[in-house]
Amino acid sequence: MDRHRARGRRARPSRRKPLLYTALASAVLVGATAAGTVYMKAQAHDGPAAVSSAASASASASASASPSSSPAASEEASVEPVAEPSVDRDALLAKALKTVPVADGTRTSVAVLDVGSGESAAYGDAAFDTASIVKVNILAALLLQAQDTDRHLTAQEKTYATAMIENSDNASATALWAAIGRADGLDTANKRFGLTDTQGGDGELWGLTQTTAIDQLTLLRQVFGDESKLSGTSRSYLQGLMGEIETDQQWGVSAAADDGSQWALKNGWLARSTTGLWDVNSIGRISVDGRAYLVATLSNGNSTQAKGISLVEAVSKAALSAFQDTTED
C-alpha cells in the first residue's frame, strides 16, 4: 500500500495550463456553410507580404463575382477551400465527464492524447498528490541521468526499478529517489522533460510530489513518444515495466481499453493521515478501437480506495468517449 504521513510541504506549483492545441498554420477562417466551418488555405506565392484575413475574404468574394478581375487580384484570391471539422475536444471532454457522479469533496482531473492524430484535451488544471504514479517520473529521471553520463543502470538499480514499477514497492522507490537527488533531481529532470507544474515532495516524501494531469500527459509523451529526451532504449525499458504490472494493480486507465492486454500503466493510491481520505491516480497508454491513447487521471478526497478506483476508471472511460465518438481514420 502507498502510504505517507504528511509533514511540511513545499510551495504548490502554479496553476498555469499550457496550450493543448497548435494553431493551424496558414489557415484563415472566412465563413461557415451548411456543411460546416470552411477554411481558406493560402497557396504559396512569390511576391509581397501575406494578405490579411480581411483582405483574403474580400479577395475571395471579388474573385467569385468578377471572373475578369485583374491578374494581381486573381493572384491574391488564389485560395483552396478546405473543409475542416471544428472539434472542441475540451468541450466534449467536459460534457462527457458530466455523466460521471463525483462525491462532494472529491476532485478529479484528466488529460488525454490521441497518439495518431495528435489531438489532446484536458479537464481541470489543479495540483494533486502523485502518490505512486511519481515512480514513473523517478525512473525516467534516473534513466536521463544515466544517459547524461553514458552509463547503463546497475544491476541493483534495475532490481529496484522492477520492484518499484511492477510491484509499486515503496522501499525501492525511496532508494531510487535518493539516487536521483530527491526533489532537486526530479525537478531538474522535469525541466528538461517539459513538466512545468510538477514539484518534488519534501525530504523522503516522494508520494507528496505535486503534479497536474496535463504534466502527467507530458511525462507520458516522454515515455511513449519519439520526440523525447529519453533514448529509444530507455523508453522501451520503462514501457516494458509498465506493461508488467502485478495482477492486483491492473486497474485504472486500463479499464478504458477495449483489449485487456493493450495497456501499459502505473497507479498510485495514498490515504492522507490528516484527513483519512484517499488520493487515487492512474496514468498510462491504452488501445481503443485500434487507436493508441495516453491518459492521465487524478483524484483526491475519496472516502475509500475502492471508491477512488471506481471514480478513476469511470473518468477514464468517459474521457475516451470524447475522442471515440468523433475521431475518424
Side-chain angles (χ1 to χ4, degrees), residues 5 22 32 41-42 81 92 114 165 175 216 269 278 288 300:
R5 181 174 298 277
T22 303
K41 287 188 177 179
L92 288 174
D114 180 333
I165 301 297
Q216 288 303 297
W269 58 101
W278 287 79
V288 181
N300 63 20

Side-chain angles (χ1 to χ4, degrees), residues 4-94:
H4 297 275
R5 181 174 298 277
R7 297 205 293 270
R9 71 167 52 227
R10 299 156 68 92
R12 282 188 177 273
S14 68
R15 301 296 189 270
R16 293 177 290 106
K17 179 178 179 182
L19 291 175
L20 290 173
Y21 302 101
T22 303
L24 289 172
S26 304
V28 181
L29 177 65
V30 299
T33 68
T37 304
V38 174
Y39 290 81
M40 307 299 282
K41 287 188 177 179
Q43 294 180 348
H45 298 292
D46 294 327
V51 182
S52 69
S53 59
S56 297
S58 176
S60 177
S62 176
S64 299
S66 179
S68 59
S69 299
S70 67
S74 297
E75 178 79 1
E76 285 191 358
S78 179
V79 292
E80 174 189 357
V82 179
E84 295 282 356
S86 181
V87 179
D88 187 339
R89 297 292 180 189
D90 284 335
L92 288 174
L93 177 55

